[in-house]
C-alpha cells in the first residue's frame, strides 16, 4: 500500500500543511516517491506537464535558454518547496526546463489523476488551487524583485 | 532643531578632534572585489592617531579636490587603526576614489552614526540578511560575532547578489563557514547553469532559514526594497519588530547632524542612524527622498 506509506510524508510537507485528512488520503493515491541524480533533467520546456513535484531534499534549477547568455538558471527550488504548476492549466506544457542541481528526493504527483480528483471533489479542488495560488503569488512577487535588478543601479 | 544642537555639543565637547576636519590616511592596498566594487585599506598618516569604531558605523571619505562621501567601515573593529572601506563606483566621488593608488593620501572624518546591537544578541539566534554591497557594513558585525562565537546561538547569514560574480568577500565567507558554526546561504538573481547554489531573491530564504523567531535578533542591510520585503517575511515568520535592525542610506553632507541633509522629521539618519530598530524607521522606509 504505497498510499498509506506516503500519507505521513504528505502531511509533514510544508506545502500540504493543515490539509484535511480525507484530502490527504485522496491525493496520496496520485503520488509516488522519486529520486533524481545531480544533473538529471526532470522536464524540458514544451514537454507535456503531467506532473508536479514536492521537493523533500535537494535542489532543482529552473532554467531557460536566454539568447547570448545561454542556459540560465532563474530560480532554484529546494526542500519543502513545490516545483511546477503548468499541470493545472491548459495547454499543460512546461514553460521552462528543470534539472536536479544536487541529488534530489521528491514526491511526484500525477497531474491528470489529481485534476480528475479535483473535478470530482470541489472542496479538494478549492484547497489545492488555493495552495498553488499562494505559490504562484509568491513567485510573481519574487520575479518582480528580480526584474527590478535591485542590487544593480538601485542598490 | 534641538537634535542638531545636542549633536554639535556632544561632538565638539572635550578633547575630540574637530569632526569637520578630515584626518589624512594613506592607502595601503586597493583590492578589486567585483566588476564595480573595490576595497581601500588605509592607515592614519600619524601613527599615534587612535581610532575605534563599532560595527555599522561609517566614515566620511574625502578625495582631495573632488568631494566627500559617507562609506561604512567594513573591517574588523578588533584590528584598528587599519580601516577597510568597500565601495561601489556610482558617481563622481566614488569614481575618483577608484582611481586612487597605493601610497596616495585621502581624508577621513569619523566614525559616525549608530551601530549594530551585537551585544543585545547575546544568548539569541542572529539572522543577518545582506543584499549586494549591503554586506560591507555588516562585515564588522560578523567579525564581532565570530570573535565571541560562544555567546550567541545560531548565526545565519542570508546573502543575495545579482550574479555569483557580484559576491563580496567570497573567500572569507568560505573560511568562516569552515571554521565557525555559521550557516551561510547565498542566493543570486540569475546564474549560468554551472552555478551550483541557490537562485532567487534573498527574501524567499527567510521562510525556511534555521532560526527561532521568538528568540532572534535580525540585522539587515541592502537595497531599500529588499529590506522592505525582508522585513515583511521576518514579521510573517514571527520575529518581533523591535528585534529587527536595519541600516538606512540617505544623502549626507556633514555626517554629524549639522546640515539637515539627511533629516526626516525629527530623525537625522547620520547621527540617529544609519542603524535603526525597525519601529523607529518604519516611517522612513520606502520614502525615496528626504
Ligand atoms: C551611512 C551610509 C553608508 C554608506 N556606505 C556605503 C558603503 O559602504 N559602500 C558604498 O559603496 N556606498 C555606501 N554608501 C553610499 C555612498 O555614500 C554613495 O554611493 C556615494 O555617496 C555616491 O557618491 P558619488 O559622488 O560617487 O555619486 P554621485 O555623483 O553623488 O551620484 C551619481 C549617481 O549615483 C546615484 N547614487 C548616489 N548615491 C547612491 C547610492 N547610495 N546607491 C546607488 N546610487 C547612488 C545618484 O543618484 C546618481 O545617479 C553609504 C551611504 C550612507 C549614507
Ligand atoms: S545632518 Fe548633515 S548629513 Fe545628517
Amino acid at each position: 500500500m504505497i498510499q498509506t506509506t506516503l500519507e505521513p510524508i504528505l502531511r509533514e510537507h510544508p506545502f500540504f500543511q493543515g490539509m484535511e485528512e480525507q484530502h490527504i488520503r485522496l491525493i496520496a493515491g496520485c503520488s509516488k516517491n522519486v529520486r533524481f541524480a545531480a544533473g538529471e533533467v526532470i522536464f524540458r520546456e514544451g514537454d507535456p506537464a503531467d506532473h508536479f513535484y514536492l521537493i523533500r531534499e535537494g535542489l532543482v534549477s529552473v532554467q531557460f535558454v536566454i539568447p547570448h547568455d545561454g542556459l540560465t538558471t532563474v530560480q532554484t527550488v529546494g526542500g519543502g518547496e513545490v516545483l511546477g504548476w503548468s499541470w493545472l492549466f491548459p495547454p499543460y506544457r512546461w514553460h521552462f526546463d528543470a534539472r536536479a542541481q544536487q541529488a534530489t528526493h521528491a514526491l511526484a504527483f500525477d497531474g491528470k489523476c489529481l485534476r480528475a480528483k479535483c473535478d470530482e471533489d470541489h472542496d479538494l479542488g478549492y484547497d489545492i488551487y488555493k495552495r498553488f495560488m499562494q505559490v504562484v503569488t509568491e513567485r510573481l512577487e519574487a520575479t518582480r524583485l528580480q526584474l527590478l535588478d535591485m542590487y544593480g543601479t538601485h542598490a | 532643531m534641538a537634535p542638531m544642537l545636542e549633536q554639535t555639543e556632544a561632538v565638539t565637547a572635550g578633547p575630540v578632534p574637530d569632526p569637520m576636519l578630515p584626518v589624512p590616511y594613506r592607502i595601503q592596498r586597493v583590492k578589486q572585489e567585483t566588476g564595480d566594487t573595490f576595497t581601500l585599506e588605509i592607515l592614519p598618516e600619524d601613527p599615534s592617531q587612535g581610532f575605534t569604531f563599532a560595527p555599522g558605523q561609517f566614515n566620511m571619505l574625502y578625495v582631495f579636490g573632488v568631494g566627500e562621501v559617507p562609506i561604512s567601515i567594513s573591517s574588523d573593529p578588533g584590528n584598528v587603526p587599519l580601516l577597510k572601506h568597500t565601495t561601489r563606483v556610482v558617481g563622481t566621488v566614488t569614481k575618483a576614489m577608484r582611481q586612487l593608488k597605493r601610497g596616495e593620501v585621502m581624508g577621513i572624518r569619523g566614525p559616525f552614526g549608530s551601530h549594530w546591537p551585537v551585544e543585545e544578541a547575546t544568548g539569541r539566534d542572529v539572522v543577518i540578511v545582506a543584499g549586494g554591497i549591503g554586506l560591507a557594513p555588516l562585515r564588522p558585525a560578523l567579525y564581532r560575532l565570530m570573535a565571541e562565537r560562544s555567546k550567541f546561538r545560531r548565526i545565519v547569514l542570508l546573502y543575495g547578489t545579482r550574479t555569483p560574480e557580484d559576491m563580496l568577500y567570497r573567500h572569507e565567507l568560505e573560511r568562516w563557514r569552515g571554521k565557525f558554526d555559521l550557516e551561510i546561504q547565498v542566493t543570486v538573481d540569475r546564474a549560468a547553469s554551472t552555478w551550483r547554489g541557490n537562485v532567487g531573491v534573498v527574501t524567499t530564504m527567510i521562510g525556511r532559514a534555521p532560526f527561532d523567531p521568538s528568540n532572534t535578533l535580525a540585522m539587515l542591510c541592502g537595497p531599500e526594497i529588499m529590506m522592505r520585503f525582508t522585513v515583511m517575511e521576518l514579521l510573517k515568520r514571527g520575529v518581533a519588530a523591535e528585534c529587527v535592525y536595519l541600516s538606512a542610506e540617505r544623502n549626507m553632507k556633514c555626517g554629524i547632524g549639522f546640515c539637515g541633509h539627511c533629516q526626516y522629521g525629527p530623525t537625522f539618519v547620520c547621527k540617529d542612524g544609519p542603524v535603526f530598530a525597525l519601529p523607529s524607521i518604519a516611517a522612513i522606509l520606502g520614502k525615496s527622498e528626504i
Side-chain angles (χ1 to χ4, degrees):
Chain A
M1 295 295 286
I2 288 172
Q3 291 93 320
T4 34
T5 50
L6 288 184
E7 280 172 25
I9 299 170
L10 291 183
R11 237 174 264 125
E12 271 167 29
H13 198 281
F15 184 69
F16 284 128
Q17 213 168 46
M19 186 179 242
E20 285 181 22
E21 271 307 306
Q22 81 261 26
H23 289 160
I24 292 274
R25 274 197 297 279
L26 275 173
I27 62 172
C30 298
S31 65
K32 63 176 188 227
N33 247 321
V34 288
R35 282 174 192 276
F36 301 100
E40 189 176 343
V41 172
I42 300 174
F43 51 77
R44 282 193 193 283
E45 183 179 344
D47 284 353
D50 41 20
H51 283 87
F52 79 91
Y53 302 87
L54 293 189
I55 309 301
R56 297 179 60 194
E57 276 174 51
L59 195 68
V60 175
S61 293
V62 174
Q63 301 175 324
F64 291 111
V65 173
I66 298 183
H68 308 298
D69 287 354
L71 192 60
T72 303
T73 304
V74 290
Q75 184 198 6
T76 47
V77 180
E81 295 185 302
V82 61
L83 172 69
W85 58 76
S86 298
W87 66 279
L88 277 169
F89 309 104
Y92 310 118
R93 296 212 170 257
W94 295 116
H95 295 99
F96 44 80
D97 295 353
R99 181 190 298 267
Q101 192 68 259
Q102 306 165 357
T104 296
H105 193 179
L107 287 180
F109 285 80
D110 179 332
K112 240 187 219 160
C113 166
L114 210 54
R115 282 200 306 266
K117 296 213 170 170
C118 291
D119 283 341
E120 275 166 29
D121 181 339
H122 286 182
D123 283 348
L124 170 69
Y126 181 60
D127 186 321
I128 297 260
Y129 273 70
K130 252 195 336 194
R131 287 170 196 272
F132 271 95
M133 272 310 290
Q134 175 81 22
V135 171
V136 173
T137 308
E138 283 168 7
R139 182 71 199 121
L140 176 65
E141 218 164 66
T143 306
R144 279 189 180 139
L145 290 180
Q146 271 170 301
L147 286 173
L148 279 178
D149 189 17
M150 59 182 179
Y151 310 118
T153 48
H154 296 267
Chain B
M1 294 314 251
M4 259 171 64
L5 290 172
E6 269 169 33
Q7 177 67 17
T8 314
E9 279 163 13
V11 170
T12 52
V16 181
D18 182 348
M20 292 305 286
L21 199 67
V23 174
Y25 272 66
R26 196 169 288 277
I27 296 170
Q28 308 298 310
R29 187 173 174 221
V30 182
K31 183 178 180 217
Q32 193 69 35
E33 301 278 1
T34 69
D36 60 1
T37 303
F38 63 99
T39 298
L40 294 183
E41 297 184 16
I42 53 175
L43 275 174
E45 274 288 77
D46 173 2
S48 67
Q49 184 88 38
F51 193 98
T52 53
F53 74 97
Q57 288 194 296
F58 67 95
N59 279 328
M60 296 299 287
L61 271 58
Y62 184 36
V63 182
F64 295 118
V66 183
E68 198 181 37
V69 287
I71 302 289
S72 305
I73 307 167
S74 63
S75 46
D76 183 351
N79 186 22
V80 285
L82 180 82
L83 297 178
K84 296 183 189 176
H85 291 90
T86 300
T87 305
R88 196 155 66 101
V89 175
V90 297
T92 315
V93 179
T94 50
K95 228 176 247 166
M97 208 191 294
R98 178 62 193 92
Q99 301 309 313
L100 295 175
K101 306 253 171 346
R102 183 176 169 210
E104 288 191 90
V105 174
M106 65 191 311
I108 296 289
R109 291 195 295 125
F112 298 129
S114 58
H115 55 85
W116 299 111
V118 177
E119 282 306 313
E120 278 177 46
T122 304
R124 303 162 81 175
D125 288 350
V126 185
V127 176
I128 294 181
V129 189
I133 185 86
L135 186 58
L138 283 161
R139 187 167 68 163
L142 278 160
Y143 281 120
R144 263 283 148 78
L145 291 163
M146 294 305 116
E148 300 179 290
R149 179 66 191 89
S150 59
K151 280 171 67 175
F152 312 98
R153 288 158 60 102
R154 278 169 290 199
I155 301 179
V156 182
L157 168 64
L158 307 177
Y159 180 34
T161 67
R162 192 199 223 166
T163 69
E165 293 72 39
D166 295 309
M167 232 180 113
L168 288 179
Y169 317 137
R170 183 191 288 251
H171 297 300
E172 194 162 31
L173 293 181
E174 285 303 326
R175 220 177 36 244
W176 279 343
R177 195 179 350 217
K179 196 167 158 197
F180 299 102
D181 179 14
L182 171 67
E183 168 91 19
I184 303 180
Q185 297 184 11
V186 176
T187 186
V188 300
D189 270 356
R190 61 144 88 176
S193 55
T194 46
W195 166 249
R196 292 279 161 262
N198 290 297
V199 178
V201 284
V202 71
T203 51
T204 59
M205 300 171 106
I206 288 160
R208 284 172 291 121
F211 63 88
D212 169 8
S214 67
N215 190 22
T216 285
L217 189 136
M219 306 182 201
L220 332 178
C221 189
E224 213 158 290
I225 183 136
M226 178 215 101
M227 292 199 286
R228 263 157 56 201
F229 279 85
T230 301
V231 162
M232 279 191 246
E233 293 300 322
L234 286 168
L235 299 182
K236 199 157 87 182
R237 181 93 192 253
V239 179
E242 56 274 20
C243 299
V244 177
Y245 289 80
L246 32 88
S247 181
E249 273 188 18
R250 283 297 185 269
N251 284 342
M252 288 182 186
K253 211 160 197 158
C254 68
I256 54 170
F258 197 75
C259 68
H261 238 74
C262 67
Q263 190 177 4
Y264 180 78
T267 307
F268 290 75
V269 175
C270 66
K271 73 177 182 72
D272 302 322
V275 177
F276 291 93
L278 176 61
S280 58
I281 203 193
I284 301 182
L285 214 58
K287 302 273 192 316
S288 59
E289 288 299 330
I290 54 176

